[in-house]
Amino acid sequence: MAASVQGGRTGNLPAEANTFIGRRGELAEISGLLGITRLVTLTGPGGVGKSRLALRAAHAARAGFPGGVWLVELSELRDPDLLTNAVAQATRLTEQTLRPLLEAVGEHLTGAPLLLVLDTCEHVLDECARVVHELLAGVPELRVLATSRQPLGLPGEQLLTVAPLPLGERDDAVALFAARAAAAVPSFALTEANRAGVAAVCARLDGIPLALELAAVRLRGFPLDRLLEGLDSRFDLLVSPARPRLARHQTLRTAIGWSHELCTPLERLLWARLSVFAGGWDVEAAEFVCHGGPLDAEEILALLASLTEKSIVTRDGEAVGTRYRMLDTVRSFGAEWLAGLGEEGPVRRRHRDYFRWIARQGEAEWLGPGQRMWAERLTSEHANLRLAVEECLTSPDPEAALELAGSLWYFWFACGFTEEGRGYLERALDRAPEAGGPDHTLAVWAHRLVTVVPDDLEAAESVSAAYVWLAEERQLLVPALPLTGASLAVRGESARSAVLYGTVGQAPAGDGGAEFFQLLTLALQAYLLAGQAAFERCATVAERLRADCAKRGELWMRAWGDFFVALAGIGLGHADEALLSARAALIAKWRVHDRIGAAAVADLLVAAQATRGEEELAARLLGVSRRLWLTAGLPQLGRPDQTVFHREYERRLRAALGNARFGEAVREGGELDPEAAIALALGGVPTDLDL
């Protein structure tokens, strides 16, 4: 069963922010091209509407792609080497695999027909071409819709050049301007009396959608005739007698520049400084990164509101969860202005330092009641964290990259970004191979931690050894972790794992890393005891782990305590009690975005329900489990037909249900979207249950 088969799920397309206007011909042409070719690229200058057209076309195409329509937004990506990671994350593939990630992505996408939308490819064009070429070669069911200022240059690529909107008084440009003007100024209406004036504004802006939308907002401060006069005078300054018409890209830049001139000096300064963010930001980040000189931190919230009203900045969410972002073309204008001010270096360093502080705060508070908040916050700041790490990697001080990449161990390890974290840690360590000191040791340990998988005993031994160094550097009184024994247990070598198991020590309070290591040691002890079928002892250790985590309000590791309590309960024949613990584990794992953990818990739920006599439900959950393991992308556990667990329960459930009903139930479970799958596994228990 392919992980990309989503049943009723249409993928990850965001809702459209406002009404789509026009482009009927282009939409029909895209639909037709997707039916006869596998790669369609929308090309054209910035601001012409490629991204919005692709999103509308993708929404319209959903019915034809039962495997889902998946949007990969590349505008915030700075490092081409992370493009495959971006595709994996957008398509819900966890990165925890030692196989080449692109190979895992291809396997993940194989199955039902699906559409991959790659938006804004031009700045990572060569890597886009490579990845698309390999995916199309390896996934016959795949179609790709790309947007780029340049073609990808691949065989079979079909190009559609996106032109500005038609300019007649009853054409799309006028309709778009009128719709956006009415949204900005509710009293505005398109009438026969003002239609010619609106058409003149549209003509002056060459029908470029972004320019039209920026100009429409100006009606808040200007009547239509004054708006047209302002455009005329602004554009005349840039038109030479020998060149009476502006090129379209210059038209857009001039429209953005006019919006810039109409901002106050402090709004312009904030616009420029905000250009250093990738993806988006919240108010706290803007206050830290953008304050200084004439711009006080206390003024930034009001200035953000003003820039939002002028459509320079867009706002997502409300109150505490509010985030802001800028369109790429607007951001680029701000970045050029920032460079002209000579502030690019200092503001980028403040951005880097802010996210270094965020990473350290997250590490210190990870094992506490704020864990879910930190998982969500760091996931939302992923693009900015990448940018901060990249900035550290170009810093003259190699310690900066070691410290940031190492202090994010919990993000790489627990939130599903091991492949990316491994790459950053390797680059940081390559820059400072002999650095020594706590930051270097932490980076070494973190690198080896995110490298551990069941197949890699050498890596497990390295993690244990590296932790001894880290404990010495941080003056922690914790024994080496028995990760080698854990790896053997996963592979079914329980006898050898028992020999390599060590005792559990006490760690001093007050250090987030030390607490994590203590809890991880308990989890591994429970793991090894379960592998040896010592279920009563396993339950005792797991209960201690749960209690220690509960004291801290911690979720991620506590869920492993629930997992092992449930596993021991199944081993002891207490299926009803095991079901309750397994569901608690699943809620916690889902809250902190741990898909590996969710897949492991799903296996337990299969066992619990089968033991309780709920064979049909167990078979559907077996389909859910297979889907989750495939999504997680692990090399062994991600192939259900090769695992002892899945073979054994397939045999039992086939015998109970018969081949036909068993196969149908597994298929039903495997085709559920993630939210429906979790709901099935929880049996109606809400995922926001207070644990």
Side-chain angles (χ1 to χ4, degrees), residues 116 321 443 479 576 584 662 691:
L116 196 63
D576 290 341
F662 169 80
L691 296 177

Side-chain angles (χ1 to χ4, degrees), residues 498 501-503 522 525-530 532-545 564-565 568 572:
Y501 163 70
T503 59
L522 285 169
Q525 182 182 4
Y527 194 178
L528 300 178
L529 289 169
Q532 298 158 28
F535 293 120
E536 291 185 355
R537 292 171 62 200
C538 172
T540 300
V541 173
E543 289 287 6
R544 178 180 165 189
L545 175 60
F564 290 116
V565 167
L572 294 169

Side-chain angles (χ1 to χ4, degrees), residues 477-678:
L477 304 175
V478 189
L481 299 177
L483 291 177
T484 307
S487 292
L488 290 168
V490 170
R491 296 170 62 178
E493 300 181 44
S494 299
R496 287 184 64 200
S497 76
V499 174
L500 291 165
Y501 163 70
T503 59
V504 179
Q506 296 293 327
D511 186 287
E515 293 181 83
F516 171 78
F517 306 138
Q518 178 188 354
L519 297 175
L520 183 56
T521 302
L522 285 169
L524 291 173
Q525 182 182 4
Y527 194 178
L528 300 178
L529 289 169
Q532 298 158 28
F535 293 120
E536 291 185 355
R537 292 171 62 200
C538 172
T540 300
V541 173
E543 289 287 6
R544 178 180 165 189
L545 175 60
R546 288 206 304 191
D548 285 357
C549 292
K551 293 175 185 176
R552 298 169 171 85
E554 194 275 346
L555 286 178
W556 186 81
M557 193 65 78
R558 174 183 166 177
W560 286 120
D562 289 321
F563 174 92
F564 290 116
V565 167
L567 181 57
I570 292 170
L572 294 169
H574 305 153
D576 290 341
E577 293 84 348
L579 182 63
L580 294 176
S581 293
R583 284 175 170 170
L586 183 59
I587 291 170
K589 289 300 183 185
W590 200 247
R591 282 183 179 180
V592 295
H593 312 289
D594 181 1
R595 288 175 178 265
I596 297 289
V601 176
D603 281 349
L604 285 190
L605 288 166
V606 173
Q609 295 291 14
T611 303
R612 296 174 70 243
E614 299 284 352
E615 288 90 358
E616 187 161 326
L617 176 56
R620 295 182 73 193
L621 290 173
L622 186 62
V624 168
S625 168
R626 288 180 175 182
R627 259 282 313 282
L628 289 172
W629 277 122
L630 284 164
T631 302
L634 282 181
Q636 279 192 325
L637 298 179
R639 297 180 180 177
D641 58 328
Q642 297 182 14
T643 65
V644 173
F645 176 89
H646 284 265
R647 289 199 301 270
E648 173 63 18
Y649 276 93
E650 178 173 340
R651 183 188 64 77
R652 292 189 193 182
L653 294 172
R654 279 187 187 277
L657 296 173
N659 287 335
R661 183 60 199 133
F662 169 80
E664 184 179 354
V666 171
R667 179 187 58 77
E668 290 170 356
E671 291 183 353
L672 292 173
D673 67 80
E675 289 73 20
I678 296 302

Side-chain angles (χ1 to χ4, degrees), residues 165-188:
L165 295 171
L167 291 170
E169 289 190 8
R170 300 190 182 277
D171 281 329
D172 291 346
V174 168
L176 177 65
F177 181 90
R180 302 303 184 252
V185 183
S187 61
F188 178 85

Side-chain angles (χ1 to χ4, degrees), residues 192-369:
E192 292 304 316
N194 65 17
R195 188 180 294 273
V198 170
V201 169
C202 295
R204 204 64 169 118
L205 296 172
D206 283 339
I208 298 174
L210 178 55
L212 295 176
E213 297 202 13
L214 289 170
V217 177
R218 298 269 68 82
L219 289 179
R220 289 178 177 151
F222 298 89
L224 183 62
D225 57 345
R226 287 282 307 282
L227 175 64
L228 183 56
E229 290 173 10
L231 287 173
D232 284 340
S233 61
R234 177 75 174 101
F235 278 45
D236 287 344
L237 292 173
L238 298 177
V239 179
S240 68
R243 191 181 182 194
R245 291 292 295 164
L246 292 172
R248 282 172 178 154
H249 74 275
Q250 192 170 351
T251 301
L252 176 59
R253 288 185 56 78
T254 304
I256 295 173
W258 190 58
S259 292
H260 188 262
E261 290 178 3
L262 293 173
C263 290
T264 68
L266 288 181
E267 289 170 351
R268 293 179 207 166
L269 181 58
L270 180 58
W271 179 349
R273 291 177 178 176
L274 289 170
S275 68
V276 302
F277 287 99
W281 64 88
D282 59 20
V283 173
E284 179 186 86
E287 289 174 344
F288 184 96
V289 174
C290 299
H291 82 280
L295 187 55
D296 293 333
E298 294 77 11
E299 299 176 279
I300 286 177
L301 179 58
L303 291 170
L304 276 173
S306 181
L307 289 174
T308 301
E309 288 179 358
K310 295 175 179 176
S311 291
I312 304 303
V313 164
T314 58
R315 182 177 63 196
D316 301 321
E318 298 294 336
V320 176
T322 299
R323 290 183 63 80
Y324 300 84
R325 62 180 61 244
M326 284 191 288
L327 292 174
D328 289 341
T329 311
V330 176
R331 185 195 307 275
S332 296
F333 190 98
E336 291 179 16
W337 190 261
L338 186 67
L341 293 173
E343 290 194 1
E344 184 176 15
V347 178
R348 285 196 175 280
R349 284 191 292 273
R350 285 205 298 272
H351 176 278
R352 175 201 67 191
D353 291 342
Y354 176 76
F355 286 100
R356 287 172 69 184
W357 175 77
I358 288 292
R360 289 194 298 270
Q361 286 291 107
E363 183 189 18
E365 298 178 19
W366 178 250
L367 293 179

